[in-house]
Amino acid sequence: MIDVPRQTRAVSEPHLLDINWFAVTPQHALSVPIESQAMCYFFQNYVSQSPQPSKGYFDYLSCIFSSNDAVERSLIDAVVSLGMVGLSNTKHASEIMIPAKERYTLALQATNSALGDEKDAKADQTLITVMLLGLYETNTCTSPRSMQSWTQHISGAVQLLRLRGKEQLQTRIGHRLFIQLRGQVIINCMQRRARVPDDIAEWTLYAMAYETEGEIIESNLSFIVIKFCNLRASMDSFHDYRDSARVVSAAFNIDAELADWATRCPIQYVYNTVTIQSPSESVFSDYYHTYETIWAAWAWNSYRSIRILLNEMLLEQLAHLSQYPFDYPEAYDEYSVLPYETQILCCKSLLVQLTQDICASVPFYLGYHNRHDGLESSQVPPAAAGGNLLLWPLYTAACTNVVSDISRSWVIGRLENIAEVMGIRQATALAHLLRIRKDPPGRNVIDLDLTQEASDEW
């Protein structure tokens, strides 16, 4: 293993950051240290080399690792451990998981030590390391225990956000970290049917003063998503009919906000529809979408996923209300004029379209358009990063009651492909849950202190 002392610059390590130097060939692989292979794998899959801002999942790591400032040992260990996991999973080399776990443990120990010092705890590199530790759990997920560990890392990252305060939002890296973690927090809260911490909305509002037009679009979407999460958290389940009138009114209002958001996206968020000439296993229908950036695709799929969940809630509540007399509040008269059956049909039609749009985004994330359309490599999302961002939109699309068995089977196949080609093991777990029609662990749990019973079984 490479002995990198704490506070030693990573750029001093031979081959550690020379991304272009590493060509994956059997001849090179035999002579290159596994640590260097792992570092290169991570940067090739999670860090964009494009000069365009926010093109990669962890694009800011290029600046950190190539700057004259010191790189923490914990961050190096976290990056190397993730690279080793990728190599192990994609090359079916289980022996690499041993040093990967060792590096993960070292990163975890060093991070826990850093938390004892307020200055270290507030550092960008500490927060990045915690986020990478969560990604490790995603990429190695083989049981509910891994998904619970991911929740614990997200919870820890939120505590660090609070410690760092609003000042973190005034730097580009600090702001990018917040945006990235905000998405993870919201996904985690949706899975657990929990309220989004009030700090997230407060910091989002504060950060908008420093944001570009595209980032403001993402923040506006986040405010709407937070409203949905908090509405959902007020219910025990979609079958909670204790206050259906309030839920339906609030849900219609949120849905209208989402529809309005979709009409206000700037030009760089507009996606193109490409029609294919012959059927392909990589494309669900006869068309797919291409986007300007990975974040534009992520924003659209977040919008679609939330609107799917929202309209599923509406379907359940409208079906219940159709059995009883109900008058909408005055603010929702535009909906009350429609018969319940018509409203239900509108929800179902929208659900079908949203699931098809998520499926149409898959070729972009997985690089199909680059292989078949000859686009520049800078327009292609980093491979594994795209796979990670696809997991929950795909799972959400396949969970809807209106989706066909053909659609669900195609999604399962894409998840299994992500697991096989990109080495993201949580994709295998989600594919399995779709096969047996079971929710992921923690989806109905609000308490983070999860019980250990059955934690190793799906």
Side-chain angles (χ1 to χ4, degrees):
M1 295 164 62
I2 298 177
D3 185 14
V4 185
R6 189 171 182 268
Q7 292 292 350
T8 295
R9 286 169 51 192
V11 291
S12 66
E13 294 299 324
H15 308 308
L16 207 52
L17 288 179
D18 192 357
I19 308 301
N20 295 322
W21 157 85
F22 180 60
V24 184
T25 65
Q27 292 83 356
H28 283 154
L30 290 174
S31 60
V32 177
I34 188 63
E35 291 84 0
S36 296
Q37 293 186 48
M39 184 70 77
C40 289
Y41 179 93
F42 178 86
F43 270 76
Q44 288 173 337
N45 280 272
Y46 286 99
V47 183
S48 171
Q49 301 306 301
S50 168
Q52 299 181 45
S54 302
K55 285 285 288 183
Y57 198 30
F58 290 97
D59 51 313
Y60 43 78
L61 284 179
S62 290
C63 298
I64 292 176
F65 275 76
S66 61
S67 71
N68 292 324
D69 297 328
V71 180
E72 291 287 345
R73 169 66 181 269
S74 58
L75 178 56
I76 295 173
D77 283 335
V79 167
V80 171
S81 70
L82 275 164
M84 288 179 172
V85 168
L87 291 171
S88 174
N89 290 343
T90 56
K91 296 180 180 299
H92 305 288
S94 59
E95 67 277 6
I96 302 179
M97 282 303 300
I98 297 175
K101 181 65 174 178
E102 291 173 352
R103 285 287 187 143
Y104 169 85
T105 302
L106 288 173
L108 185 60
Q109 292 172 344
T111 300
N112 287 334
S113 177
L115 297 180
D117 182 279
E118 184 174 346
K119 181 179 178 181
D120 288 344
K122 288 183 175 181
D124 289 341
Q125 293 189 36
T126 301
L127 181 56
I128 296 171
T129 301
V130 172
M131 294 169 65
L132 291 175
L133 294 175
L135 183 60
Y136 176 95
E137 297 295 346
T138 296
N139 289 5
T140 60
C141 180
T142 56
S143 72
R145 190 190 301 273
S146 296
M147 300 181 81
Q148 294 162 11
S149 296
W150 174 71
T151 291
Q152 292 166 353
H153 286 308
I154 295 300
S155 178
V158 171
Q159 296 305 316
L160 289 179
L161 281 180
R162 290 176 175 145
L163 180 65
R164 286 157 60 92
K166 291 182 179 179
E167 294 77 13
Q168 66 187 303
L169 304 173
Q170 298 174 12
T171 68
R172 285 307 298 170
I173 290 181
H175 177 263
R176 194 67 235 170
L177 284 171
F178 169 70
I179 297 301
Q180 192 171 344
L181 183 57
R182 179 180 65 192
Q184 295 294 302
V185 170
I186 290 174
I187 289 174
N188 186 264
C189 288
M190 281 194 294
Q191 290 177 22
R192 298 184 294 109
R193 299 188 189 277
R195 286 183 58 87
V196 176
D198 293 338
D199 318 63
I200 299 298
E202 179 184 347
W203 293 330
T204 297
L205 183 62
Y206 180 81
M208 291 177 75
Y210 306 96
E211 293 184 339
T212 64
E213 181 185 19
E215 290 167 341
I216 289 175
I217 288 294
E218 294 178 16
S219 293
N220 286 335
L221 178 60
S222 294
F223 282 124
I224 305 173
V225 173
I226 289 171
K227 288 182 183 179
F228 166 73
C229 284
N230 293 345
L231 174 63
R232 197 183 189 202
S234 69
M235 306 168 61
D236 290 340
S237 71
F238 281 176
H239 305 285
D240 182 351
Y241 307 120
R242 293 173 299 174
D243 199 1
S244 292
R246 176 190 66 86
V247 169
V248 168
S249 294
F252 270 134
N253 187 30
I254 295 172
D255 193 65
E257 290 187 52
L258 286 167
D260 182 65
W261 178 90
T263 66
R264 295 177 180 271
C265 287
I267 189 66
Q268 62 265 34
Y269 274 67
V270 175
Y271 55 86
N272 297 314
T273 300
V274 179
T275 302
I276 61 174
Q277 302 303 315
S278 57
S280 169
E281 185 183 45
S282 300
V283 182
F284 174 68
S285 185
D286 60 349
Y287 68 93
Y288 60 90
H289 297 155
T290 61
Y291 301 81
E292 182 67 24
T293 68
I294 191 174
W295 294 112
W298 173 83
W300 276 108
N301 274 351
S302 297
Y303 153 83
R304 292 160 184 153
S305 299
I306 295 304
R307 214 168 174 195
I308 284 173
L309 294 172
L310 180 66
N311 277 270
E312 282 190 314
M313 176 193 293
L314 276 170
L315 274 180
E316 188 64 37
Q317 296 296 320
L318 287 170
H320 171 73
L321 289 174
S322 66
Q323 304 174 38
Y324 305 95
F326 172 74
D327 293 325
Y328 283 100
E330 183 177 351
Y332 300 94
D333 281 348
E334 60 182 294
Y335 301 109
S336 63
V337 298
L338 296 175
Y340 285 114
E341 292 77 9
T342 302
Q343 296 176 49
I344 289 172
L345 285 175
C346 288
C347 287
K348 288 183 177 181
S349 177
L350 180 59
L351 283 170
V352 171
Q353 183 60 55
L354 292 168
T355 57
Q356 289 178 348
D357 285 345
I358 288 178
C359 290
S361 74
V362 174
F364 170 79
Y365 275 106
L366 304 188
Y368 173 89
H369 69 297
N370 180 60
R371 296 192 301 271
H372 293 264
D373 300 334
L375 299 181
E376 295 295 328
S377 59
S378 63
Q379 295 176 268
V380 185
N388 283 106
L389 292 175
L390 260 181
L391 294 184
W392 289 104
L394 272 179
Y395 181 81
T396 300
C399 278
T400 61
N401 292 326
V402 300
V403 73
S404 66
D405 289 339
I406 294 175
S407 298
R408 185 175 290 106
S409 295
W410 185 83
V411 169
I412 290 173
R414 293 307 90 202
L415 287 170
E416 291 174 341
N417 180 260
I418 289 171
E420 178 71 18
V421 176
M422 302 179 182
I424 302 171
R425 287 291 172 256
Q426 191 176 91
T428 301
L430 294 177
H432 174 68
L433 291 173
L434 286 174
R435 288 189 187 281
I436 63 176
R437 306 292 180 89
K438 182 179 179 182
D439 280 344
R443 186 155 178 161
N444 297 310
V445 180
I446 294 181
D447 187 0
L448 285 179
D449 185 17
L450 302 173
T451 58
Q452 190 170 345
E453 286 79 1
S455 62
D456 290 321
E457 298 178 3
W458 290 108

